[in-house]
């Protein structure tokens, strides 16, 4: 899984988004931290992006991730009724990425993962979400683009 928000808007941002999509498709089998490092080198001299690369492993019971910037994510499951925020370092992939941190969390079904870009209000991920469309309807900022990903384990 992969969620990204290219900085800015317009034709230049669209070109970076196309480049990023192609790169992600080429490197999709890489571990998340290796993918983020490769994307950082590949997007040098562009406006860059904030992003989160996620991989589900160990029979669907582990979540591995790496990313940078203002993409937010939270995992809810039986052992974490308030949800566990996925820590994502600050920075911009392709511009000023200081560190890349590989992280892992155990997933205990039933579980729910929600990921959102900065086009959603900060409080959007404070309660377990029911669906991505509902989050967009309730929490989208009026003058920004937004991406929401919701994944459920039953």
């Amino acid at each position: 899984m992969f969620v990204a928000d290219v900085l800015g808007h317009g034709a230049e941002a669209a070109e970076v988004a196309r480049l990023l999509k192609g790169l992600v498709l080429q490197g999709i089998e890489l571990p998340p931290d290796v993918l983020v490092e490769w994307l950082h080198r590949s997007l040098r001299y562009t406006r860059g992006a904030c992003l989160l690369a996620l991989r589900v492993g160990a029979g669907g019971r582990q979540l591995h991730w790496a990313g940078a910037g203002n993409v937010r994510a939270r995992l809810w499951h039986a052992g974490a009724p308030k949800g566990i925020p996925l820590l994502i370092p600050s920075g911009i992939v392709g511009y000023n990425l200081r560190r890349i941190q590989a992280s892992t969390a155990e997933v205990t079904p039933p579980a729910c993962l929600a990921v959102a870009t900065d086009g959603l209000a900060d409080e959007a991920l404070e309660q377990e979400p029911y669906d991505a469309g509902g989050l967009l309807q309730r929490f989208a900022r009026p003058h920004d683009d937004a991406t929401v990903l919701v994944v459920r384990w039953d």
Side-chain angles (χ1 to χ4, degrees):
M1 295 175 275
F2 189 84
V3 174
D5 186 7
V6 173
L7 274 62
H9 59 278
E12 186 180 342
E15 183 57 36
V16 174
R18 279 190 289 280
L19 173 62
L20 181 58
K21 178 182 175 183
L23 291 167
V24 168
L25 291 174
Q26 289 176 39
I28 199 70
E29 296 300 322
L30 296 171
D33 57 328
V34 175
L35 177 60
V36 171
E37 174 63 34
W38 181 60
L39 293 171
H40 180 60
R41 288 191 316 268
S42 300
L43 292 177
R44 284 272 189 215
Y45 310 110
T46 71
R47 59 181 52 208
C50 298
L51 56 85
L52 179 62
L54 302 129
R55 176 168 289 184
V56 177
R61 300 294 179 120
Q62 282 187 337
L63 185 62
H64 308 280
W65 74 91
N70 55 6
V71 176
R72 299 179 319 278
R74 188 174 286 264
L75 174 67
W76 286 267
H77 57 83
K82 293 186 178 188
I84 302 165
L86 276 60
L87 300 179
I88 304 163
S90 62
I92 300 169
V93 173
Y95 180 66
N96 68 344
L97 187 56
R98 290 177 186 78
R99 68 183 173 121
I100 299 170
Q101 180 176 331
S103 299
T104 301
E106 297 298 318
V107 178
T108 306
C112 179
L113 169 71
V115 180
T117 61
D118 67 341
L120 234 58
D122 292 340
E123 65 270 15
L125 302 186
E126 290 178 5
Q127 298 178 15
E128 183 176 348
Y130 294 100
D131 65 87
L135 285 173
L136 281 169
Q137 254 184 341
R138 291 183 56 211
F139 296 105
R141 297 181 196 273
H143 301 291
D144 198 358
D145 58 343
T147 300
V148 177
L149 171 69
V150 175
V151 178
R152 294 194 171 278
W153 288 260
D154 292 322

